[in-house]
Amino acid sequence: MKHRYLVTGGAGFIGSNFVHFIDQTEPESLVLVFDKLTYAGNLDSLKGMGPQHQVVVGDICDEQLVAQALAQFKPDRLVHFAAESHVDRSIDGPKEFVKTNVLGTFTLLHQAKIYFEANKGDFRFLQVSTDEVYGSLGETGYFTEETPYQPNSPYSASKAGSDHLVRAWWHTYHFPVITTNCSNNYGPFQFPEKLIPVVILSALSGKPLPIYGDGQNIRDWLFVLDHCKGIHRALERGELGECYNIGGNNELTNLQVVHRICEILDLRRPKQKGSYKDQITFVKDRPGHDRRYAIDASKIKAKLGWQPEESFESGFLKTVDWYLEHEDWVKNILSGEYRLTRQGLGA
Ligand code: NAD
Ligand code: TDX
């Protein structure tokens, strides 16, 4: 199988995992990463990818650059990861979220439609979305593809806006799109602002492990490689215009997640005295904090034959071990050095 993948946000957490996945499983395919290299973009995360792949440093809001990348690279797959992705940042500064997630997605759709109409062929645009667009669940029930959108944070509202644009491009123009809505990811290359890397790295450096509110908020955790495989499956076998929920069927409270990380670290890097759990600190809650997310992934299982391969236990061990084994990657982020790598690319 040979494809030409234009991957927006390919230097971020999930995007870089997707690029490595394609690099390793489709030696005939080519990737063009299109990434602005915001604080969340890290070229170190792409180290080791084959030299046949390329990186363009650019903003998805830059119409000319997007048009040029499409015209020159001629992708048949556009996988759209690029976004501002952190809920806490969206609360403090929502403007970038509206710009990148709404206006950026519009720009991509607009230019990709022009490109598609000029070239036709088996082109597909995959919108990588989130379960957060569905809002918050009570103690029971699951998000299905039919659940109405009820986003609660500036982040999820901006992702919902972008999903609606994608939907409209299908219904109005028959522009070939597929949307996936995934639950919380964890795994290698996740920026240490999200719960799991924050806890691993704070634990190791003897800092408090901050748990918002009462720690009883529930997320449905999925190992990032399983998400990448789900996206790939949707690209290959998904029906145009359809949405597919992707989830791990792994509901855990934040306190359970933090306890499990501490238990693994207690085994892998025992402290001289006590447990890493002693560092747990309850802090002020996130405003508007969604209580529970849980995905019903039966559609993608039944229609496309996808299901997660990693259990929470195995995925978690792999993740903690990855952070323990990649001290350089972590060190470059903590020192800010990773942001210097871009200078070689003229950004
Ligand atoms: P991330 O924040 O780690 O990476 C985002 C990437 O996008 C970075 O490389 C950044 O430089 C790039 N980017 C940001 N603004 C850009 C712009 N204007 N132009 C070009 N590039 C830009 O995010 P992630 O966690 O890898 O998430 C990727 C996608 O998956 C997002 O769309 C997110 O909404 C979605 N998603 C994430 C999760 C999760 O648990 N992390 C779950 C479901 C869906
Ligand atoms: O220090 C923390 N303490 C804490 O208790 C952090 C960073 C988070 N939390 C809580 C908030 C959430 O209930 O942990 C949970 C997970 O938080 P995040 O890692 O910030 O993820 P979340 O807000 O659930 O959103 C993530 O999953 C869906 C991604 O960031 C989104 O991009 C994705 O769409």
Side-chain angles (χ1 to χ4, degrees):
M1 182 193 316
K2 182 167 175 172
H3 290 298
R4 300 177 71 85
Y5 292 93
L6 197 162
V7 180
T8 71
F13 163 46
I14 309 174
S16 60
N17 276 281
F18 184 80
V19 172
H20 289 298
F21 171 69
I22 296 299
D23 189 41
Q24 285 156 22
T25 58
E26 287 182 18
E28 298 285 287
S29 291
L30 287 179
V31 174
L32 175 70
V33 169
F34 189 102
D35 197 300
K36 185 180 175 185
L37 298 184
T38 67
Y39 79 93
N42 186 351
L43 293 175
D44 288 349
S45 305
L46 290 170
K47 274 188 187 157
M49 75 173 181
Q52 70 277 26
H53 307 303
Q54 303 165 61
V55 178
V56 166
V57 179
D59 190 329
I60 55 166
C61 298
D62 182 338
E63 232 171 314
Q64 260 192 340
L65 203 58
V66 167
Q68 196 181 322
L70 287 161
Q72 289 179 358
F73 183 65
K74 298 202 185 312
D76 62 335
R77 301 284 183 264
L78 196 165
V79 195
H80 179 30
F81 293 98
E84 287 293 335
S85 72
H86 190 41
V87 175
D88 292 329
R89 284 181 191 258
S90 82
I91 294 166
D92 296 339
K95 194 169 175 183
E96 269 320 295
F97 286 71
V98 175
K99 251 165 77 183
T100 285
N101 300 358
V102 182
L103 194 59
T105 301
F106 159 74
T107 306
L108 270 186
L109 286 166
H110 184 61
Q111 288 303 327
K113 174 176 166 283
I114 294 171
Y115 164 77
F116 171 66
E117 285 172 352
N119 294 275
K120 296 290 178 194
D122 174 32
F123 177 81
R124 289 171 168 224
F125 180 110
L126 191 133
Q127 162 80 348
V128 181
S129 192
T130 168
D131 58 0
E132 301 202 12
V133 295
Y134 296 123
S136 182
L137 290 164
E139 281 175 17
T140 56
Y142 296 91
F143 297 133
T144 73
E145 290 79 1
E146 273 70 52
T147 304
Y149 273 28
Q150 287 190 320
N152 290 320
S153 71
Y155 162 68
S156 53
S158 65
K159 287 296 291 186
S162 68
D163 291 358
H164 290 321
L165 290 171
V166 169
R167 177 189 157 86
W169 257 239
W170 166 250
H171 280 270
T172 307
Y173 307 116
H174 259 258
F175 176 69
V177 303
I178 293 170
T179 297
T180 53
N181 293 81
C182 190
S183 59
N184 283 61
N185 283 215
Y186 66 95
F189 302 118
Q190 189 167 31
F191 193 82
E193 64 182 352
K194 309 278 166 71
L195 178 66
I196 288 179
V198 161
V199 169
I200 297 172
L201 301 183
S202 303
L204 291 171
S205 53
K207 292 185 186 153
L209 312 182
I211 297 194
Y212 298 164
D214 61 5
Q216 295 307 310
N217 300 67
I218 291 175
R219 299 291 182 265
D220 176 2
W221 294 94
L222 181 72
F223 190 62
V224 62
L225 187 56
D226 279 327
H227 185 190
C228 293
K229 289 176 181 173
I231 288 170
H232 188 255
R233 186 61 63 91
L235 269 172
E236 288 316 302
R237 301 197 199 157
E239 208 174 309
L240 295 179
E242 288 289 308
C243 302
Y244 298 93
N245 280 357
I246 303 180
N249 208 15
N250 262 322
E251 283 185 60
L252 292 165
T253 65
N254 293 337
L255 197 55
Q256 285 172 320
V257 168
V258 177
H259 277 171
R260 189 63 200 127
I261 295 171
C262 292
E263 284 157 11
I264 296 172
L265 285 172
D266 283 339
L267 285 174
R268 295 291 204 252
R269 288 271 169 94
K271 281 167 63 131
Q272 290 202 323
K273 221 172 112 203
S275 161
Y276 288 101
K277 287 181 190 168
D278 303 337
Q279 292 168 227
I280 289 176
T281 311
F282 290 89
V283 299
K284 194 167 166 279
D285 209 354
R286 171 187 281 172
H289 196 176
D290 283 340
R291 194 62 174 171
R292 173 173 169 255
Y293 303 142
I295 280 275
D296 174 349
S298 51
K299 178 174 171 182
I300 191 168
K301 284 182 190 159
K303 302 241 183 216
L304 309 184
W306 172 91
Q307 59 177 10
E309 290 167 27
E310 214 67 67
S311 70
F312 185 69
E313 274 304 309
S314 62
F316 240 44
L317 276 171
K318 281 186 183 172
T319 303
V320 173
D321 284 342
W322 187 89
Y323 279 92
L324 291 174
E325 287 158 11
H326 289 79
E327 281 176 7
D328 283 354
W329 185 89
V330 170
K331 220 188 305 162
N332 277 351
I333 287 190
L334 299 182
S335 68
E337 206 168 307
Y338 77 107
R339 303 212 65 175
L340 302 176
T341 328
R342 69 185 51 211
Q343 286 171 354
L345 285 156

